[in-house]
Amino acid sequence: MMSGLILAGGRNRGANGENKAFFMLDNMTIVERQIREMEKCCEEIIIATNDPTPFLRKVDRGVRIITDYFPGKGPLSGMHAGLTLAQQPHVWVVSCDMPYISSKAAELLLAREQEGFEAAIPAIGGSAHPLHGVYDRSCAVKIGALLEQDEATLSTLLKQLYWCELQEFAFEEKAIGSRFVASIKTKEDDEKLWLGGRPL
């Protein structure tokens, strides 16, 4: 029922131009970790990127690699392309700088989204995290309209969708820690992202 979509098209300014998807963590790149986790619950995995060549060399041929219809407009560009081309009706969307994504969290979000919402998004630490959300594939239409109007922000998108939050306690009840929404911002975060189970 679900496609997995990894957004890997950013400019990576904080990473000195290096694609964060290829940062190493525990002897594995972030994108390899993400693919392994997505394989637990997704029928297909898609990577949306503005530079396909490195991924073609480093990921399995079963992973679909696509480019944006609206290049250079941030994560909404990749979301639009991925939702448009996804083969499944529901799409788990993550950013390529999130090494601890959780298939169990995604399954909880999927169940909530299927209750009649266009998207289900985790609310961790008092904030919504749309880049670990599950979206109905039909959201591509609204995202495309925003991109055509140059309204390419996640906050603007959330104003257009009928979506729900899944609170932190819902994950805790299933023994799912909150670090699945954590992201790496700089190269140095590879080794110091976590201390005692909490973000630094």
Side-chain angles (χ1 to χ4, degrees):
M1 294 291 292
M2 192 158 58
S3 297
L5 172 61
I6 300 170
L7 304 179
R11 297 181 182 178
N12 301 294
R13 291 190 181 97
N16 296 320
E18 182 179 351
N19 195 314
K20 296 176 189 176
F22 301 118
F23 281 7
M24 298 296 296
L25 194 66
D26 296 331
N27 299 313
M28 187 179 297
T29 64
I30 292 178
V31 72
E32 287 172 333
R33 292 170 65 94
Q34 292 180 320
I35 290 169
R36 183 179 64 178
E37 190 66 16
M38 284 185 161
E39 287 174 339
K40 297 176 182 178
C41 65
C42 295
E43 297 297 320
E44 68 167 344
I45 299 171
I46 304 168
I47 297 173
T49 177
N50 54 15
D51 186 10
T53 302
F55 292 94
L56 291 170
R57 292 196 296 260
K58 295 185 179 182
V59 303
D60 186 86
R61 292 184 179 180
V63 176
R64 297 175 63 194
I65 300 173
I66 64 172
T67 55
D68 300 343
Y69 294 101
F70 297 89
K73 294 193 175 183
L76 288 195
S77 298
M79 288 179 67
H80 174 262
L83 291 169
T84 299
L85 296 175
Q87 297 175 353
Q88 300 300 317
H90 311 282
V91 183
W92 173 21
V93 177
V94 303
S95 173
C96 71
D97 60 0
M98 303 170 73
Y100 301 112
I101 64 170
S102 168
S103 59
K104 291 182 179 179
E107 288 170 343
L108 286 182
L109 291 163
L110 173 62
R112 191 79 174 94
E113 184 258 328
Q114 288 180 302
E115 293 176 8
F117 296 97
E118 291 179 296
I121 294 168
I124 305 295
S127 300
H129 293 268
L131 293 185
H132 195 295
V134 173
Y135 297 79
D136 189 276
R137 187 174 57 194
S138 65
C139 293
V141 176
K142 291 183 178 180
I143 296 173
L146 289 174
L147 290 167
E148 288 175 351
Q149 297 165 18
D150 242 3
E151 297 286 345
T153 66
L154 288 165
S155 59
T156 303
L157 172 63
L158 294 184
K159 294 176 183 178
Q160 301 292 320
L161 298 182
Y162 179 53
W163 62 282
C164 65
E165 287 184 341
L166 201 59
Q167 298 294 327
E168 193 165 351
F169 72 83
F171 300 102
E172 292 173 347
E173 288 176 348
K174 301 293 184 180
I176 301 170
S178 62
R179 74 176 186 170
F180 67 87
V181 298
S183 60
I184 285 178
K185 301 303 182 187
T186 66
K187 183 71 172 177
E188 290 71 27
D189 285 340
D190 278 4
E191 298 180 355
K192 66 179 184 180
L193 181 61
W194 292 99
L195 180 63
R198 296 181 179 275
L200 290 173

